[in-house]
mmCIF file of all heavy atoms in Angstrom:
data_model
loop_
_atom_site.group_PDB
_atom_site.id
_atom_site.type_symbol
_atom_site.label_atom_id
_atom_site.label_comp_id
_atom_site.label_asym_id
_atom_site.label_seq_id
_atom_site.Cartn_x
_atom_site.Cartn_y
_atom_site.Cartn_z
ATOM 1 N N ALA A 1 -10.120 1.681 1.778
ATOM 2 C CA ALA A 1 -9.607 1.094 3.015
ATOM 3 C C ALA A 1 -10.723 0.811 4.007
ATOM 4 O O ALA A 1 -10.753 -0.244 4.648
ATOM 5 C CB ALA A 1 -8.568 2.038 3.636
ATOM 6 N N LEU A 2 -11.662 1.735 4.135
ATOM 7 C CA LEU A 2 -12.764 1.563 5.084
ATOM 8 C C LEU A 2 -13.669 0.415 4.667
ATOM 9 O O LEU A 2 -14.022 -0.456 5.493
ATOM 10 C CB LEU A 2 -13.560 2.861 5.188
ATOM 11 C CG LEU A 2 -14.721 2.862 6.184
ATOM 12 C CD1 LEU A 2 -14.210 2.555 7.594
ATOM 13 C CD2 LEU A 2 -15.446 4.210 6.167
ATOM 14 N N ALA A 3 -14.062 0.382 3.376
ATOM 15 C CA ALA A 3 -14.928 -0.697 2.895
ATOM 16 C C ALA A 3 -14.222 -2.045 3.005
ATOM 17 O O ALA A 3 -14.831 -3.055 3.394
ATOM 18 C CB ALA A 3 -15.343 -0.426 1.446
ATOM 19 N N GLY A 4 -12.927 -2.078 2.680
ATOM 20 C CA GLY A 4 -12.178 -3.322 2.783
ATOM 21 C C GLY A 4 -12.044 -3.807 4.207
ATOM 22 O O GLY A 4 -12.178 -5.006 4.490
ATOM 23 N N PHE A 5 -11.808 -2.870 5.122
ATOM 24 C CA PHE A 5 -11.656 -3.253 6.531
ATOM 25 C C PHE A 5 -12.973 -3.796 7.089
ATOM 26 O O PHE A 5 -12.985 -4.825 7.782
ATOM 27 C CB PHE A 5 -11.194 -2.046 7.349
ATOM 28 C CG PHE A 5 -11.074 -2.321 8.817
ATOM 29 C CD1 PHE A 5 -10.078 -3.146 9.310
ATOM 30 C CD2 PHE A 5 -11.979 -1.771 9.708
ATOM 31 C CE1 PHE A 5 -9.972 -3.403 10.660
ATOM 32 C CE2 PHE A 5 -11.890 -2.025 11.061
ATOM 33 C CZ PHE A 5 -10.876 -2.849 11.549
ATOM 34 N N VAL A 6 -14.077 -3.113 6.787
ATOM 35 C CA VAL A 6 -15.384 -3.590 7.255
ATOM 36 C C VAL A 6 -15.666 -4.979 6.702
ATOM 37 O O VAL A 6 -16.137 -5.883 7.405
ATOM 38 C CB VAL A 6 -16.501 -2.605 6.844
ATOM 39 C CG1 VAL A 6 -17.885 -3.202 7.126
ATOM 40 C CG2 VAL A 6 -16.334 -1.287 7.581
ATOM 41 N N GLY A 7 -15.356 -5.169 5.418
ATOM 42 C CA GLY A 7 -15.574 -6.481 4.808
ATOM 43 C C GLY A 7 -14.722 -7.569 5.434
ATOM 44 O O GLY A 7 -15.198 -8.691 5.673
ATOM 45 N N LEU A 8 -13.462 -7.242 5.718
ATOM 46 C CA LEU A 8 -12.583 -8.228 6.354
ATOM 47 C C LEU A 8 -13.063 -8.591 7.759
ATOM 48 O O LEU A 8 -12.960 -9.750 8.177
ATOM 49 C CB LEU A 8 -11.154 -7.676 6.409
ATOM 50 C CG LEU A 8 -10.395 -7.643 5.070
ATOM 51 C CD1 LEU A 8 -9.093 -6.857 5.218
ATOM 52 C CD2 LEU A 8 -10.103 -9.060 4.579
ATOM 53 N N VAL A 9 -13.576 -7.603 8.482
ATOM 54 C CA VAL A 9 -14.117 -7.889 9.813
ATOM 55 C C VAL A 9 -15.294 -8.860 9.713
ATOM 56 O O VAL A 9 -15.407 -9.818 10.498
ATOM 57 C CB VAL A 9 -14.552 -6.582 10.506
ATOM 58 C CG1 VAL A 9 -15.330 -6.894 11.790
ATOM 59 C CG2 VAL A 9 -13.338 -5.722 10.835
ATOM 60 N N LEU A 10 -16.165 -8.626 8.728
ATOM 61 C CA LEU A 10 -17.321 -9.509 8.559
ATOM 62 C C LEU A 10 -16.915 -10.910 8.128
ATOM 63 O O LEU A 10 -17.539 -11.907 8.513
ATOM 64 C CB LEU A 10 -18.282 -8.906 7.535
ATOM 65 C CG LEU A 10 -18.967 -7.591 7.931
ATOM 66 C CD1 LEU A 10 -19.813 -7.061 6.782
ATOM 67 C CD2 LEU A 10 -19.831 -7.796 9.179
ATOM 68 N N LEU A 11 -15.852 -10.998 7.316
ATOM 69 C CA LEU A 11 -15.432 -12.299 6.792
ATOM 70 C C LEU A 11 -14.540 -13.068 7.758
ATOM 71 O O LEU A 11 -14.690 -14.284 7.909
ATOM 72 C CB LEU A 11 -14.684 -12.112 5.473
ATOM 73 C CG LEU A 11 -15.504 -11.716 4.242
ATOM 74 C CD1 LEU A 11 -14.583 -11.397 3.076
ATOM 75 C CD2 LEU A 11 -16.468 -12.830 3.856
ATOM 76 N N ARG A 12 -13.596 -12.384 8.400
ATOM 77 C CA ARG A 12 -12.568 -13.087 9.170
ATOM 78 C C ARG A 12 -12.485 -12.653 10.636
ATOM 79 O O ARG A 12 -11.667 -13.190 11.395
ATOM 80 C CB ARG A 12 -11.198 -12.877 8.516
ATOM 81 C CG ARG A 12 -11.062 -13.541 7.150
ATOM 82 C CD ARG A 12 -11.097 -15.064 7.293
ATOM 83 N NE ARG A 12 -10.937 -15.738 6.029
ATOM 84 C CZ ARG A 12 -11.930 -16.116 5.223
ATOM 85 N NH1 ARG A 12 -13.184 -15.855 5.590
ATOM 86 N NH2 ARG A 12 -11.700 -16.752 4.108
ATOM 87 N N GLY A 13 -13.265 -11.676 11.030
ATOM 88 C CA GLY A 13 -13.229 -11.260 12.416
ATOM 89 C C GLY A 13 -12.293 -10.081 12.634
ATOM 90 O O GLY A 13 -11.458 -9.743 11.801
ATOM 91 N N TRP A 14 -12.434 -9.461 13.795
ATOM 92 C CA TRP A 14 -11.720 -8.228 14.107
ATOM 93 C C TRP A 14 -10.205 -8.429 14.151
ATOM 94 O O TRP A 14 -9.442 -7.675 13.555
ATOM 95 C CB TRP A 14 -12.221 -7.694 15.447
ATOM 96 C CG TRP A 14 -11.554 -6.434 15.885
ATOM 97 C CD1 TRP A 14 -10.459 -6.319 16.689
ATOM 98 C CD2 TRP A 14 -11.925 -5.096 15.529
ATOM 99 N NE1 TRP A 14 -10.116 -5.014 16.864
ATOM 100 C CE2 TRP A 14 -11.013 -4.232 16.153
ATOM 101 C CE3 TRP A 14 -12.942 -4.550 14.762
ATOM 102 C CZ2 TRP A 14 -11.073 -2.856 16.033
ATOM 103 C CZ3 TRP A 14 -13.012 -3.171 14.647
ATOM 104 C CH2 TRP A 14 -12.087 -2.339 15.262
ATOM 105 N N SER A 15 -9.742 -9.441 14.846
ATOM 106 C CA SER A 15 -8.304 -9.642 15.027
ATOM 107 C C SER A 15 -7.602 -9.888 13.698
ATOM 108 O O SER A 15 -6.540 -9.311 13.413
ATOM 109 C CB SER A 15 -8.049 -10.813 15.980
ATOM 110 O OG SER A 15 -8.606 -10.551 17.250
ATOM 111 N N THR A 16 -8.178 -10.745 12.869
ATOM 112 C CA THR A 16 -7.572 -11.045 11.564
ATOM 113 C C THR A 16 -7.575 -9.815 10.667
ATOM 114 O O THR A 16 -6.598 -9.540 9.970
ATOM 115 C CB THR A 16 -8.331 -12.191 10.879
ATOM 116 O OG1 THR A 16 -8.334 -13.334 11.731
ATOM 117 C CG2 THR A 16 -7.686 -12.544 9.546
ATOM 118 N N ALA A 17 -8.680 -9.071 10.694
ATOM 119 C CA ALA A 17 -8.767 -7.863 9.867
ATOM 120 C C ALA A 17 -7.705 -6.847 10.265
ATOM 121 O O ALA A 17 -7.046 -6.241 9.414
ATOM 122 C CB ALA A 17 -10.157 -7.251 9.988
ATOM 123 N N ILE A 18 -7.507 -6.659 11.586
ATOM 124 C CA ILE A 18 -6.490 -5.730 12.075
ATOM 125 C C ILE A 18 -5.105 -6.171 11.616
ATOM 126 O O ILE A 18 -4.265 -5.365 11.191
ATOM 127 C CB ILE A 18 -6.539 -5.633 13.612
ATOM 128 C CG1 ILE A 18 -7.791 -4.872 14.065
ATOM 129 C CG2 ILE A 18 -5.277 -4.950 14.147
ATOM 130 C CD1 ILE A 18 -7.766 -3.400 13.744
ATOM 131 N N ALA A 19 -4.835 -7.478 11.690
ATOM 132 C CA ALA A 19 -3.526 -7.999 11.297
ATOM 133 C C ALA A 19 -3.263 -7.771 9.806
ATOM 134 O O ALA A 19 -2.166 -7.375 9.412
ATOM 135 C CB ALA A 19 -3.442 -9.487 11.637
ATOM 136 N N ILE A 20 -4.283 -8.032 8.988
ATOM 137 C CA ILE A 20 -4.117 -7.859 7.538
ATOM 138 C C ILE A 20 -3.896 -6.396 7.184
ATOM 139 O O ILE A 20 -2.973 -6.047 6.441
ATOM 140 C CB ILE A 20 -5.355 -8.417 6.798
ATOM 141 C CG1 ILE A 20 -5.429 -9.938 6.962
ATOM 142 C CG2 ILE A 20 -5.317 -8.036 5.317
ATOM 143 C CD1 ILE A 20 -6.703 -10.545 6.416
ATOM 144 N N VAL A 21 -4.750 -5.539 7.722
ATOM 145 C CA VAL A 21 -4.655 -4.106 7.413
ATOM 146 C C VAL A 21 -3.343 -3.519 7.912
ATOM 147 O O VAL A 21 -2.737 -2.650 7.264
ATOM 148 C CB VAL A 21 -5.857 -3.351 8.031
ATOM 149 C CG1 VAL A 21 -5.668 -1.855 7.915
ATOM 150 C CG2 VAL A 21 -7.147 -3.786 7.350
ATOM 151 N N GLY A 22 -2.851 -4.019 9.044
ATOM 152 C CA GLY A 22 -1.614 -3.487 9.606
ATOM 153 C C GLY A 22 -0.372 -3.824 8.810
ATOM 154 O O GLY A 22 0.627 -3.099 8.875
ATOM 155 N N THR A 23 -0.407 -4.925 8.057
ATOM 156 C CA THR A 23 0.794 -5.340 7.312
ATOM 157 C C THR A 23 0.834 -4.789 5.887
ATOM 158 O O THR A 23 1.914 -4.737 5.285
ATOM 159 C CB THR A 23 0.870 -6.873 7.238
ATOM 160 O OG1 THR A 23 -0.315 -7.377 6.583
ATOM 161 C CG2 THR A 23 0.977 -7.482 8.623
ATOM 162 N N ILE A 24 -0.286 -4.371 5.345
ATOM 163 C CA ILE A 24 -0.325 -3.969 3.934
ATOM 164 C C ILE A 24 0.553 -2.755 3.623
ATOM 165 O O ILE A 24 1.306 -2.772 2.630
ATOM 166 C CB ILE A 24 -1.778 -3.748 3.479
ATOM 167 C CG1 ILE A 24 -2.458 -5.102 3.265
ATOM 168 C CG2 ILE A 24 -1.838 -2.923 2.191
ATOM 169 C CD1 ILE A 24 -3.903 -5.020 2.855
ATOM 170 N N PRO A 25 0.513 -1.662 4.394
ATOM 171 C CA PRO A 25 1.369 -0.510 4.044
ATOM 172 C C PRO A 25 2.839 -0.877 3.903
ATOM 173 O O PRO A 25 3.507 -0.448 2.959
ATOM 174 C CB PRO A 25 1.132 0.461 5.198
ATOM 175 C CG PRO A 25 -0.239 0.135 5.682
ATOM 176 C CD PRO A 25 -0.351 -1.353 5.547
ATOM 177 N N HIS A 26 3.358 -1.703 4.818
ATOM 178 C CA HIS A 26 4.768 -2.084 4.726
ATOM 179 C C HIS A 26 5.018 -3.034 3.567
ATOM 180 O O HIS A 26 5.939 -2.843 2.762
ATOM 181 C CB HIS A 26 5.231 -2.735 6.034
ATOM 182 C CG HIS A 26 6.632 -3.277 5.967
ATOM 183 N ND1 HIS A 26 6.901 -4.596 5.665
ATOM 184 C CD2 HIS A 26 7.843 -2.663 6.104
ATOM 185 C CE1 HIS A 26 8.203 -4.783 5.642
ATOM 186 N NE2 HIS A 26 8.799 -3.631 5.919
ATOM 187 N N SER A 27 4.172 -4.065 3.435
ATOM 188 C CA SER A 27 4.414 -5.080 2.405
ATOM 189 C C SER A 27 4.322 -4.500 1.004
ATOM 190 O O SER A 27 5.051 -4.926 0.095
ATOM 191 C CB SER A 27 3.414 -6.235 2.566
ATOM 192 O OG SER A 27 2.080 -5.788 2.369
ATOM 193 N N LYS A 28 3.449 -3.518 0.799
ATOM 194 C CA LYS A 28 3.311 -2.933 -0.532
ATOM 195 C C LYS A 28 4.364 -1.860 -0.795
ATOM 196 O O LYS A 28 4.761 -1.650 -1.940
ATOM 197 C CB LYS A 28 1.904 -2.350 -0.700
ATOM 198 C CG LYS A 28 0.804 -3.398 -0.632
ATOM 199 C CD LYS A 28 1.056 -4.528 -1.626
ATOM 200 C CE LYS A 28 0.053 -5.657 -1.488
ATOM 201 N NZ LYS A 28 0.369 -6.799 -2.386
ATOM 202 N N THR A 29 4.839 -1.206 0.249
ATOM 203 C CA THR A 29 5.858 -0.176 0.059
ATOM 204 C C THR A 29 7.205 -0.789 -0.315
ATOM 205 O O THR A 29 7.960 -0.210 -1.114
ATOM 206 C CB THR A 29 6.020 0.661 1.336
ATOM 207 O OG1 THR A 29 4.775 1.255 1.673
ATOM 208 C CG2 THR A 29 7.047 1.768 1.139
ATOM 209 N N VAL A 30 7.536 -1.940 0.244
ATOM 210 C CA VAL A 30 8.849 -2.539 -0.008
ATOM 211 C C VAL A 30 8.889 -3.340 -1.301
ATOM 212 O O VAL A 30 9.888 -3.987 -1.593
ATOM 213 C CB VAL A 30 9.282 -3.439 1.174
ATOM 214 C CG1 VAL A 30 9.402 -2.633 2.446
ATOM 215 C CG2 VAL A 30 8.303 -4.601 1.363
ATOM 216 N N THR A 31 7.828 -3.321 -2.093
ATOM 217 C CA THR A 31 7.840 -3.986 -3.395
ATOM 218 C C THR A 31 8.852 -3.304 -4.306
ATOM 219 O O THR A 31 8.778 -2.097 -4.549
ATOM 220 C CB THR A 31 6.445 -3.933 -4.048
ATOM 221 O OG1 THR A 31 5.502 -4.560 -3.174
ATOM 222 C CG2 THR A 31 6.445 -4.653 -5.384
ATOM 223 N N TYR A 32 9.806 -4.068 -4.827
ATOM 224 C CA TYR A 32 10.881 -3.484 -5.635
ATOM 225 C C TYR A 32 10.335 -2.763 -6.862
ATOM 226 O O TYR A 32 10.840 -1.686 -7.243
ATOM 227 C CB TYR A 32 11.855 -4.590 -6.060
ATOM 228 C CG TYR A 32 12.952 -4.099 -6.989
ATOM 229 C CD1 TYR A 32 13.992 -3.310 -6.501
ATOM 230 C CD2 TYR A 32 12.953 -4.421 -8.342
ATOM 231 C CE1 TYR A 32 15.001 -2.859 -7.324
ATOM 232 C CE2 TYR A 32 13.951 -3.968 -9.183
ATOM 233 C CZ TYR A 32 14.983 -3.191 -8.672
ATOM 234 O OH TYR A 32 15.972 -2.742 -9.513
ATOM 235 N N ALA A 33 9.309 -3.325 -7.492
ATOM 236 C CA ALA A 33 8.786 -2.723 -8.720
ATOM 237 C C ALA A 33 8.274 -1.308 -8.485
ATOM 238 O O ALA A 33 8.322 -0.465 -9.385
ATOM 239 C CB ALA A 33 7.667 -3.599 -9.295
ATOM 240 N N LEU A 34 7.782 -1.024 -7.266
ATOM 241 C CA LEU A 34 7.261 0.311 -6.980
ATOM 242 C C LEU A 34 8.355 1.375 -6.913
ATOM 243 O O LEU A 34 8.072 2.562 -7.051
ATOM 244 C CB LEU A 34 6.492 0.308 -5.652
ATOM 245 C CG LEU A 34 5.012 -0.046 -5.701
ATOM 246 C CD1 LEU A 34 4.432 -0.032 -4.299
ATOM 247 C CD2 LEU A 34 4.251 0.905 -6.597
ATOM 248 N N SER A 35 9.596 0.960 -6.722
ATOM 249 C CA SER A 35 10.677 1.939 -6.606
ATOM 250 C C SER A 35 10.910 2.707 -7.899
ATOM 251 O O SER A 35 11.569 3.752 -7.890
ATOM 252 C CB SER A 35 11.976 1.241 -6.175
ATOM 253 O OG SER A 35 12.367 0.266 -7.136
ATOM 254 N N VAL A 36 10.358 2.212 -8.998
ATOM 255 C CA VAL A 36 10.524 2.912 -10.268
ATOM 256 C C VAL A 36 9.690 4.194 -10.324
ATOM 257 O O VAL A 36 10.042 5.147 -11.017
ATOM 258 C CB VAL A 36 10.156 1.970 -11.444
ATOM 259 C CG1 VAL A 36 8.655 1.722 -11.491
ATOM 260 C CG2 VAL A 36 10.630 2.546 -12.772
ATOM 261 N N LEU A 37 8.594 4.238 -9.577
ATOM 262 C CA LEU A 37 7.679 5.376 -9.674
ATOM 263 C C LEU A 37 8.322 6.709 -9.280
ATOM 264 O O LEU A 37 8.272 7.663 -10.054
ATOM 265 C CB LEU A 37 6.431 5.105 -8.836
ATOM 266 C CG LEU A 37 5.464 4.049 -9.380
ATOM 267 C CD1 LEU A 37 4.304 3.836 -8.405
ATOM 268 C CD2 LEU A 37 4.933 4.456 -10.738
ATOM 269 N N PRO A 38 8.914 6.831 -8.083
ATOM 270 C CA PRO A 38 9.495 8.132 -7.740
ATOM 271 C C PRO A 38 10.628 8.546 -8.668
ATOM 272 O O PRO A 38 10.833 9.740 -8.904
ATOM 273 C CB PRO A 38 9.998 7.934 -6.296
ATOM 274 C CG PRO A 38 10.090 6.466 -6.117
ATOM 275 C CD PRO A 38 9.036 5.871 -6.974
ATOM 276 N N LEU A 39 11.347 7.585 -9.239
ATOM 277 C CA LEU A 39 12.443 7.928 -10.143
ATOM 278 C C LEU A 39 11.920 8.539 -11.438
ATOM 279 O O LEU A 39 12.426 9.564 -11.913
ATOM 280 C CB LEU A 39 13.278 6.676 -10.443
ATOM 281 C CG LEU A 39 14.106 6.151 -9.269
ATOM 282 C CD1 LEU A 39 14.697 4.786 -9.592
ATOM 283 C CD2 LEU A 39 15.210 7.132 -8.912
ATOM 284 N N PHE A 40 10.898 7.926 -12.013
ATOM 285 C CA PHE A 40 10.330 8.467 -13.242
ATOM 286 C C PHE A 40 9.651 9.815 -12.991
ATOM 287 O O PHE A 40 9.712 10.724 -13.826
ATOM 288 C CB PHE A 40 9.331 7.478 -13.849
ATOM 289 C CG PHE A 40 9.988 6.317 -14.556
ATOM 290 C CD1 PHE A 40 9.375 5.075 -14.592
ATOM 291 C CD2 PHE A 40 11.210 6.470 -15.185
ATOM 292 C CE1 PHE A 40 9.961 4.010 -15.249
ATOM 293 C CE2 PHE A 40 11.814 5.411 -15.842
ATOM 294 C CZ PHE A 40 11.199 4.176 -15.869
ATOM 295 N N ILE A 41 8.990 9.930 -11.855
ATOM 296 C CA ILE A 41 8.349 11.211 -11.519
ATOM 297 C C ILE A 41 9.400 12.299 -11.343
ATOM 298 O O ILE A 41 9.226 13.432 -11.801
ATOM 299 C CB ILE A 41 7.496 11.046 -10.246
ATOM 300 C CG1 ILE A 41 6.313 10.107 -10.514
ATOM 301 C CG2 ILE A 41 6.987 12.401 -9.760
ATOM 302 C CD1 ILE A 41 5.555 9.702 -9.263
ATOM 303 N N LEU A 42 10.520 11.954 -10.690
ATOM 304 C CA LEU A 42 11.600 12.916 -10.497
ATOM 305 C C LEU A 42 12.173 13.390 -11.828
ATOM 306 O O LEU A 42 12.490 14.579 -11.993
ATOM 307 C CB LEU A 42 12.700 12.283 -9.642
ATOM 308 C CG LEU A 42 13.951 13.145 -9.402
ATOM 309 C CD1 LEU A 42 13.591 14.427 -8.668
ATOM 310 C CD2 LEU A 42 15.004 12.357 -8.617
ATOM 311 N N ILE A 43 12.315 12.493 -12.788
ATOM 312 C CA ILE A 43 12.830 12.875 -14.110
ATOM 313 C C ILE A 43 11.955 13.966 -14.710
ATOM 314 O O ILE A 43 12.452 14.971 -15.236
ATOM 315 C CB ILE A 43 12.880 11.653 -15.046
ATOM 316 C CG1 ILE A 43 13.932 10.655 -14.574
ATOM 317 C CG2 ILE A 43 13.202 12.084 -16.474
ATOM 318 C CD1 ILE A 43 13.924 9.348 -15.347
ATOM 319 N N GLY A 44 10.645 13.778 -14.639
ATOM 320 C CA GLY A 44 9.735 14.756 -15.217
ATOM 321 C C GLY A 44 9.825 16.114 -14.554
ATOM 322 O O GLY A 44 9.901 17.146 -15.238
ATOM 323 N N PHE A 45 9.838 16.133 -13.229
ATOM 324 C CA PHE A 45 9.899 17.423 -12.521
ATOM 325 C C PHE A 45 11.246 18.108 -12.716
ATOM 326 O O PHE A 45 11.323 19.336 -12.828
ATOM 327 C CB PHE A 45 9.602 17.225 -11.041
ATOM 328 C CG PHE A 45 8.142 17.068 -10.730
ATOM 329 C CD1 PHE A 45 7.656 15.934 -10.089
ATOM 330 C CD2 PHE A 45 7.232 18.060 -11.077
ATOM 331 C CE1 PHE A 45 6.307 15.791 -9.802
ATOM 332 C CE2 PHE A 45 5.883 17.928 -10.795
ATOM 333 C CZ PHE A 45 5.416 16.791 -10.159
ATOM 334 N N LEU A 46 12.329 17.327 -12.765
ATOM 335 C CA LEU A 46 13.642 17.913 -13.018
ATOM 336 C C LEU A 46 13.698 18.534 -14.409
ATOM 337 O O LEU A 46 14.227 19.637 -14.592
ATOM 338 C CB LEU A 46 14.730 16.855 -12.868
ATOM 339 C CG LEU A 46 15.286 16.593 -11.467
ATOM 340 C CD1 LEU A 46 16.309 15.463 -11.503
ATOM 341 C CD2 LEU A 46 15.901 17.849 -10.881
ATOM 342 N N ALA A 47 13.149 17.807 -15.397
ATOM 343 C CA ALA A 47 13.154 18.327 -16.770
ATOM 344 C C ALA A 47 12.374 19.630 -16.856
ATOM 345 O O ALA A 47 12.772 20.561 -17.565
ATOM 346 C CB ALA A 47 12.565 17.286 -17.722
ATOM 347 N N PHE A 48 11.269 19.715 -16.121
ATOM 348 C CA PHE A 48 10.458 20.928 -16.148
ATOM 349 C C PHE A 48 11.196 22.100 -15.493
ATOM 350 O O PHE A 48 11.315 23.184 -16.072
ATOM 351 C CB PHE A 48 9.127 20.680 -15.446
ATOM 352 C CG PHE A 48 8.328 21.935 -15.209
ATOM 353 C CD1 PHE A 48 7.816 22.659 -16.272
ATOM 354 C CD2 PHE A 48 8.114 22.405 -13.918
ATOM 355 C CE1 PHE A 48 7.086 23.823 -16.058
ATOM 356 C CE2 PHE A 48 7.387 23.561 -13.692
ATOM 357 C CZ PHE A 48 6.871 24.275 -14.773
#
């Protein structure tokens, strides 16, 4: 995250870098495909 943010600042400036970094946690969390991960992990821990 730190290396990416520094690089974005150098490439696109402070304001653009802040905007990009600020949206990534939400945009990647709401990806439907990622919802499979906690379910499969839960199966394993429940079985144990």
Side-chain angles (χ1 to χ4, degrees):
L2 182 59
F5 177 70
V6 171
L8 287 170
V9 170
L10 294 176
L11 288 173
R12 293 293 182 268
W14 179 267
S15 299
T16 303
I18 288 290
I20 293 173
V21 171
T23 59
I24 284 178
H26 174 265
S27 63
K28 296 306 174 184
T29 302
V30 299
T31 302
Y32 176 73
L34 272 179
S35 61
V36 71
L37 288 177
L39 290 170
F40 283 149
I41 294 170
L42 177 61
I43 292 173
F45 282 122
L46 274 177
F48 170 66

